Amino acid sequence: MKTAIAAAVLATGAAPAAAQVAVEAPGPEGSLAGTFVAPAEGKPVVLVIPGSGPTDQDGNNPMGVTAAPYKLLAEDLAERGIGTLRADKRGLFASKAAVADPNAVTISDYVDDVLAWSTLARAVTGRECVWLLGHSEGGLVALAAQERLENICGVVLVAAPARSFGTLLREQLTANPANSPILADALSAIDALEAGDKVDVSGMHPALQGLFAPQVQSFLIDAMRYDPAAMAAKSSLPILIVQGGKDIQVPQTDGELFRTSQPSARYALLPDMNHVLKDVPGDDRAANLAAYGDPSLPLAQGLVDAIAGFVEGGE
């Protein structure tokens, strides 16, 4: 593993702490691509696991999210000497060559990628273990990874759903009165997918045809098998739960459910943090959503302190 990639990473020891190095790890059909920030002497390494959909290594996606939360997190942690590795998901962006169809994935596939990246991080730093930080859906991947992989220091769950994907989807669809005309079809589709059956969406509303598109149904069936709160409850590793009080995608009840299921976990409630890890004023939904497109906003107050204190203290 200590090839030219490792040499390039190790060379950052003579550069500023925040120097970022492009790295690659083996994927199923081609290379996975990421960015590594080397840790200072004796400091930990954090592997950032991205959220759902076409989310890139900076935390952005082409559906209007340009807040760059993962890039900012890597930079802020680097100021404390903490190393990070963040990557594009298999089949997307610079990891496009890793798999032909980015929709043809399972949670287990993403765990395979966590293994590849954690192996690289340990090889080039000499660290015995790495910390997993899962944001949103990445929290589920982190929990699945710590069940299967060795050499994991602990898990940081940031804005991560504690309920199963099917339960969360039902609640989100039911909460919006505008969905009333399509709700019966939506709930029926979720029931079928939870049972492991694919659904015919050809006669459904266009919005549901996108949500339950045939090409993503295998992933949905797989993802709905997992119960994040139960997985956290069984973990013997240190866990930090970071919940935002202004998160309109993953509400505070999820953070509390994780906290209840794993009482030994550390819990950090950041009252003004939204889903893209930025502080937003008041309860104005428009202002909250505007933060999704603003990379100039700093990360939520207290976020870096909570993560850094946890991974350095190991509690």
Side-chain angles (χ1 to χ4, degrees), residues 76-234:
D76 288 356
L77 289 174
E79 291 183 0
R80 299 167 184 247
I82 297 171
T84 55
L85 199 160
R86 64 189 199 275
D88 291 330
K89 298 166 77 170
R90 60 164 63 189
L92 296 170
F93 311 107
S95 294
K96 188 175 180 63
V99 65
D101 182 3
N103 293 308
V105 294
T106 63
I107 297 300
S108 182
D109 290 333
Y110 287 140
V111 171
D112 289 341
D113 297 342
V114 171
L115 172 59
W117 286 121
S118 62
T119 299
L120 173 66
R122 290 190 299 108
V124 299
T125 63
R127 301 296 187 271
E128 292 185 2
C129 62
V130 299
W131 294 87
L132 303 182
L133 186 153
H135 173 244
S136 193
E137 184 186 277
L140 172 58
V141 178
L143 288 168
Q146 60 89 34
E147 287 186 341
R148 206 180 94 191
L149 307 184
E150 298 179 348
N151 305 112
I152 303 302
C153 307
V155 177
V156 181
L157 302 172
V158 182
R163 293 162 292 160
S164 70
F165 189 74
T167 300
L168 191 65
L169 197 54
R170 282 191 190 89
E171 180 176 296
Q172 290 177 342
L173 290 167
T174 305
N176 187 350
N179 290 330
S180 178
I182 63 173
L183 192 58
D185 281 347
L187 297 180
S188 177
I190 295 170
D191 289 342
L193 293 167
E194 283 183 327
D197 300 323
K198 293 189 176 181
V199 297
D200 180 4
V201 299
S202 59
M204 293 185 182
H205 187 277
L208 296 182
Q209 291 181 10
L211 180 61
F212 303 116
Q215 60 267 33
V216 301
Q217 287 189 25
S218 293
F219 174 78
L220 292 175
I221 289 171
D222 176 69
M224 288 178 180
R225 296 189 300 109
Y226 294 90
D227 182 342
M231 295 163 77
K234 294 186 296 183

Side-chain angles (χ1 to χ4, degrees), residues 20 35 55-60 67-72 86-88:
Q20 301 191 31
T35 298
T55 301
D56 70 13
Q57 62 182 277
D58 290 340
N60 298 329
Y70 308 159
K71 179 176 183 290
L72 295 174
R86 64 189 199 275
D88 291 330

